[in-house]
Amino acid sequence: MEDMEKRRLEALKLGPNAFTDYNSIQLESAERDLVVYRLDIRPESRNPYGMVHGGALYTMADDAAGTAAHSDGRHYVTQHGDLHFLDNRAHGVIRAAGRVRHRGRSTVLVDVEITDEAGGVLATGVFTYFCVDRKRMAERAQET
């Protein structure tokens, strides 16, 4: 993980995400309520048809939306995610932008859009996150 990415995650009070790292998805920019992740398409990003795997697109969307939710300094888990696949790419760079639409006491609603280098929309969706107690989540992880 690059130093700039580490600093951005620290500013958002988030630790590294091993799943995101494993899939070569990188945080590109982060500010309160708006986050962008990028994926340089590589052979391991592709499905058997040679296009970006739908799971990679969904992971990018959840990362961007979830990090945007976290940008208030609280901790969240995905409650619901709805992603509409509209197009796909085999090469180049794609980006997922998450923008908070509504922030409540215990939930956050985030819009997400995945685009290619030319700005073409590949997927769009809406995610809901539920605010959690970070200490309790760590305890639960130890229980299983």
Side-chain angles (χ1 to χ4, degrees), residues 3-12 27-30:
D3 286 340
M4 181 186 303
E5 187 170 343
K6 284 181 184 175
R7 286 194 305 273
R8 286 181 182 142
L9 289 172
E10 287 169 6
L12 294 173
L27 179 65
E28 188 169 79
S29 66

Side-chain angles (χ1 to χ4, degrees), residues 51-100:
M51 305 300 275
V52 174
H53 192 285
L57 293 169
Y58 194 92
T59 297
M60 288 183 71
D62 191 27
D63 283 345
T67 305
H70 283 83
S71 70
D72 69 350
R74 298 190 302 164
H75 303 281
Y76 297 87
V77 293
T78 307
Q79 186 174 28
H80 178 83
D82 186 29
L83 190 66
H84 301 273
F85 299 96
L86 305 173
D87 203 349
N88 209 334
R89 296 292 176 269
H91 306 283
V93 176
I94 58 176
R95 289 178 174 80
R99 181 183 304 273
V100 172

Side-chain angles (χ1 to χ4, degrees), residues 5-126:
E5 187 170 343
K6 284 181 184 175
R7 286 194 305 273
R8 286 181 182 142
L9 289 172
E10 287 169 6
L12 294 173
K13 297 184 174 133
L14 292 173
N17 183 325
F19 189 75
T20 300
D21 291 344
Y22 180 81
N23 287 287
S24 303
I25 298 168
Q26 301 173 347
L27 179 65
E28 188 169 79
S29 66
E31 58 188 68
R32 185 172 171 100
D33 296 341
L34 176 62
V35 172
V36 178
Y37 276 84
R38 79 179 265 149
L39 172 65
D40 297 315
I41 300 170
R42 14 183 330 152
E44 36 307 332
S45 307
R46 297 186 189 115
N47 63 24
Y49 303 106
M51 305 300 275
V52 174
H53 192 285
L57 293 169
Y58 194 92
T59 297
M60 288 183 71
D62 191 27
D63 283 345
T67 305
H70 283 83
S71 70
D72 69 350
R74 298 190 302 164
H75 303 281
Y76 297 87
V77 293
T78 307
Q79 186 174 28
H80 178 83
D82 186 29
L83 190 66
H84 301 273
F85 299 96
L86 305 173
D87 203 349
N88 209 334
R89 296 292 176 269
H91 306 283
V93 176
I94 58 176
R95 289 178 174 80
R99 181 183 304 273
V100 172
R101 181 194 303 177
H102 172 77
R103 195 176 284 286
R105 287 180 300 192
S106 60
T107 61
V108 177
L109 184 67
V110 183
D111 291 324
V112 66
E113 186 173 81
I114 300 176
T115 57
D116 65 12
E117 294 168 287
V121 178
L122 306 182
T124 184
V126 177

